[in-house]
Amino acid sequence: MPALCSTVKTLEKLAKDDVSSLGLLGKSVMHDNALTSRILRVANSATYNKGQNQVTTVSRATVVLGFDTIRNICITAKLLSSLLESKGLSEPVYHRLIKLMARAFQAAMLAKMMLRDHDEELQEEVFIASLLYHLGESAFWSTGCDEAVVLDVAMEQCSDNKQEKGVIREILGTSFNKLSLGIARSWGLGDVLLKSLSSPDERTPEIRSIYLANQISEILAQENPAPEELQLKLKQAASMLGIEVDELKLRMIRCSNATKKLAEAYGAKVLIEHLPNPMHLKKDLLAEINAPLVRMPNMTLQLKKLRELTDCAINKSDFNQVITTTLEGLLEGVGVDRCGVLLLSPNRKRLQPRIVLGEGAEQMKREFVITLEQPQCLFCDSIELKQAMFVDDPGSHKWRLYMDPDLKSKVSATGFMIFPLVIDQKVIGMIYADRASSERTLTQAEFDDFTHFAQLANVCLTATMGH
């Protein structure tokens, strides 16, 4: 820690001297060969060297990357070497220190990734602040003192974070956060780190990203993280970035791969096997990929498709164009799982699928044939009356008589909607929609939207095919 403190204070002095800082920075680290080689390896790594020529001196690296970036690379390199080379630690304490450093390193990369749309200077500030977020705890474990051994054993027996904090306060008389804050103030480690430690709830992008990156990194480092806890933090981070959770997960997986490469460049390969496990994100992604797609009502898409149908009526578009536009509006706009157009057979005794969209469309096209010869025939009534029907609960007393075993096996158990296709007062088929795969119920508002689309489809077909 004294070596790290000395490096930080030297860099702080150089930062105040714009004129001579470049040359002095090179000279100040030249006597430390290991540090120099680490800085150059990192400066030439994929994270920092975007296709430029290799740099061979610290001064040249500073010209190419800027003083602030090289300053942070220096601090990171010195922090990692100082802590990784801690002497006289018991195996459990050293293991705890390595895991903490790996978590902090991943959090630093995550926080930087979260601010990738901001300027590089802020990204670097956030990287170093996240890396040093647990500096007090790292410093404590690196001492290897008797208290460290005692606290390690005590923390192993704790069942949650609250218990751990109580044990830390009992043995140390303070918290790790206060230790970090004290060191950050004493060493002049910058406003971003001080704010992130003293006001973690502040809503500015930099403080929010540091807080969330550390929280997510901590959860992912657990052997069996609580899915709801992870999901909550991912939602908060995705909301901050204005992206979907799945997109955030993919960015985080890419970030995890970049973190491994950067750890190697810093000569800290020992951290790699302890980095938070991105497989927790992949498992979740695979589960979501295999889960049925849930489409929610989308008013913007509804309006777009309704306008397209109006154009179809004006331009007298063909049957397929009208039906495809209608079904797309139902699927993406109204938010059903599947929908299709069933046409009457020449003898008018069967309804057969013609165009089907959504989950399980192929199966529906093969199997969804409705026979119109049962005594109680819901589809027959709809055709005869030329009337839409909303079967909100097929198992209820109201609809039970209509649900013969054959029909029951085809329609959704949570409800479905039908509307006759009519041209020149003659029914030619039926529009059908349900939410079979997600097993969600349909509402009256959604039936109203369904009816609106079906009515407009009939207007289009009459304009195209009627006389």
Side-chain angles (χ1 to χ4, degrees), residues 86-97 100 136-157 167-168 170-173 176 179:
S86 299
K87 301 286 190 289
L89 303 186
S90 71
E91 200 176 318
V93 168
Y94 183 70
H95 187 67
R96 190 179 282 277
L97 176 62
L100 178 65
E137 186 175 355
S138 303
F140 172 74
W141 296 122
S142 73
T143 63
C145 60
D146 292 342
E147 287 87 352
V149 176
V150 171
L151 183 57
D152 173 64
V153 173
M155 283 174 72
E156 279 298 317
Q157 291 159 10
V167 166
I168 292 162
E170 194 182 315
I171 293 173
L172 300 188
F176 284 141
L179 278 177

Side-chain angles (χ1 to χ4, degrees), residues 52-66:
Q52 295 154 337
N53 295 329
Q54 296 280 81
V55 292
T56 53
T57 66
V58 173
S59 299
R60 178 65 191 150
T62 312
V63 171
V64 173
L65 298 176

